[in-house]
Amino acid sequence: MSKKGRVFSGIRPTGRAHLGNYLGAIKNYVALQDDYECIYCIVDVHALTTVEDTLNLRQNTFEMALDLLASGIRPDETILFVQSHVPQVMELHTYLSMVTPLGKLTDLPTFKEKARQQPHNVNYGLVGYPVLMTADIVLYKSELVPVGIDQAPHIEFAREIVRSFNYRYNTNVLIEPQMKTTDVPKVLGIDGKEKMSKSLDNHIELALTPEETRQRVMMMVTDPQRIKRSDPGNPDVCNVFSMHKIFTPPEDVERINTECRRAGIGCVDCKKLFAENLNRALEPFRARRAELASQPDQVYAILEDGARRARMIAEQTMQEVRAAIQLP
Ligand code: TRP
């Protein structure tokens, strides 16, 4: 089967994936495998720009690998690997840094935000984050990069770095990647306000037990205007309703929509129904995940095999890169 092109994406090893990670990225990674040659990387080196205590880094990387595999990443076709297992990326990062204007890096909103969040640790790696990201992508001559809209400036920046490199060394070894955004709904946390994220503790992990899932779902904030059970609700501003649209059969979504507006269904029952549907949807995922978790050696072997295949592509690119620079 011939595929349309090469896809690359990186995901940070934040530990167990949550619904936001799944709906925003992983689900799309899985779907892209049908049409593209895919390379997915757990970016442990990027994590070092913000994570000072590396005690959990190994475990968090393993958990992310479990979630990716249990979600349907097929490691026989797709290359799934850990960033630090392919050290060529660090070498390419250094070469790319020579054609990257420092001022542009420190002007990026993503850098400024991180610097605000961790003023005690504004490290050199944090400044170079987008350069390492560019190295990730171009090391594999990737054409398409599926990412959320928040990463758009980084992909645009990657394209500029590629152009500068190719121009400076009068070559075309590096390929300008394209960003591939998918219109995923912005997944809000259980607070119904902020984007779902582990650091805000407003997330729902995929690997929770059904009972833990139910407890998290029951904490979800609904339409804030609806105080009493007898008040009519507005599904248009309710985060639980937007989740129903993803996990609940269409007939039921329509019924909830009407009944909520005339106070025919209360928020408690609406959330119970969502928890049931979510748990049902996650059942196969959880079964696969438990099976993989019981065979950690097999998971590590998959990552090793991914790294081996990734290194072959990486070393080929690096030979071309070194020649283009005319390194002695
Ligand atoms: N910066 C991305 C994020 O925060 C992760 C990432 C690292 C990435 N390298 C990448 C994404 C390369 C796409 C391509 O989510």
Side-chain angles (χ1 to χ4, degrees):
M1 184 183 40
S2 85
K3 299 211 170 173
K4 282 192 270 185
R6 187 175 282 167
V7 157
F8 181 97
S9 194
I11 191 161
R12 278 176 291 160
T14 45
R16 295 183 167 199
H18 54 68
L19 275 179
N21 303 132
Y22 180 72
L23 297 171
I26 300 174
K27 189 177 172 189
N28 191 27
Y29 288 180
V30 172
L32 285 166
Q33 296 178 115
D34 294 340
D35 295 324
Y36 297 91
E37 186 192 335
C38 296
I39 305 183
Y40 298 129
C41 177
I42 305 176
V43 292
D44 58 338
V45 183
H46 274 108
L48 297 177
T49 62
T50 55
V51 175
E52 290 169 62
D53 180 355
T54 53
L55 190 66
N56 297 320
L57 191 55
R58 239 175 173 271
Q59 185 62 27
N60 285 346
T61 300
F62 179 70
E63 300 275 357
M64 188 52 85
L66 287 181
D67 284 325
L68 289 164
L69 292 166
S71 297
I73 296 301
R74 302 187 286 272
D76 42 336
E77 317 162 27
T78 293
I79 297 182
L80 175 67
F81 75 105
V82 177
Q83 191 179 28
S84 64
H85 295 180
V86 183
Q88 283 88 343
V89 77
M90 264 76 86
E91 182 188 356
L92 183 55
H93 164 266
T94 302
Y95 300 146
L96 295 181
S97 74
M98 312 305 171
V99 298
T100 307
L102 180 59
K104 285 206 174 178
L105 286 173
T106 50
D107 273 351
L108 280 174
T110 40
F111 169 71
K112 289 185 183 160
E113 192 185 330
K114 280 285 178 256
R116 252 197 314 276
Q117 284 168 2
Q118 51 184 64
H120 61 288
N121 184 20
V122 185
N123 60 74
Y124 177 51
L126 206 51
V127 181
Y129 187 108
V131 187
L132 182 57
M133 197 168 146
T134 305
D136 279 332
I137 298 166
V138 302
L139 187 54
Y140 304 99
K141 305 200 176 197
S142 319
E143 293 145 74
L144 279 181
V145 185
V147 280
I149 196 74
D150 61 310
Q151 295 292 315
H154 287 161
I155 305 302
E156 195 39 57
F157 203 74
R159 294 166 58 86
E160 284 176 35
I161 295 176
V162 167
R163 287 197 291 269
S164 306
F165 181 94
N166 285 346
Y167 182 76
R168 160 120 23 128
Y169 300 113
N170 192 23
T171 177
N172 54 14
V173 295
L174 301 188
I175 294 179
E176 255 186 74
Q178 306 267 353
M179 163 155 160
K180 186 171 171 62
T181 41
T182 30
D183 31 13
V184 282
K186 185 170 172 189
V187 185
L188 300 179
I190 58 175
D191 51 24
K193 272 212 302 276
E194 306 287 343
K195 183 173 159 182
M196 187 176 285
S197 90
K198 184 173 173 168
S199 56
L200 295 173
D201 191 24
N202 67 359
H203 60 310
I204 301 177
E205 287 174 2
L206 305 175
L208 295 179
T209 65
E211 178 50 27
E212 287 165 339
T213 304
R214 207 186 55 84
Q215 286 170 12
R216 286 302 264 184
V217 168
M218 296 317 285
M219 286 162 66
M220 285 175 78
V221 173
T222 55
D223 170 6
Q225 302 289 316
R226 191 178 186 190
I227 314 286
K228 299 192 301 295
R229 169 69 180 80
S230 54
D231 293 342
N234 179 4
D236 300 336
V237 298
C238 178
N239 187 32
V240 177
F241 186 68
S242 36
M243 289 292 190
H244 270 299
K245 286 197 259 182
I246 304 171
F247 292 99
T248 300
E251 323 77 83
D252 294 346
V253 175
E254 217 13 78
R255 188 176 52 81
I256 294 165
N257 188 15
T258 348
E259 292 301 312
C260 173
R261 286 178 203 278
R262 56 177 201 86
I265 180 173
C267 294
V268 171
D269 285 334
C270 185
K271 288 196 267 193
K272 277 188 189 154
L273 192 61
F274 170 54
E276 270 172 38
N277 290 341
L278 179 60
N279 278 327
R280 191 174 318 111
L282 287 174
E283 231 170 64
F285 165 87
R286 286 171 178 157
R288 278 196 298 272
R289 195 184 197 282
E291 197 186 323
L292 288 161
S294 71
Q295 311 161 336
D297 288 352
Q298 203 172 313
V299 175
Y300 285 116
I302 287 171
L303 294 175
E304 231 355 281
D305 183 59
R308 186 187 55 78
R309 285 146 68 203
R311 277 193 301 265
M312 288 199 298
I313 305 172
E315 190 44 39
Q316 175 63 42
T317 305
M318 285 318 294
Q319 286 178 16
E320 296 169 24
V321 164
R322 294 176 203 124
I325 302 174
Q326 305 193 54
L327 287 166

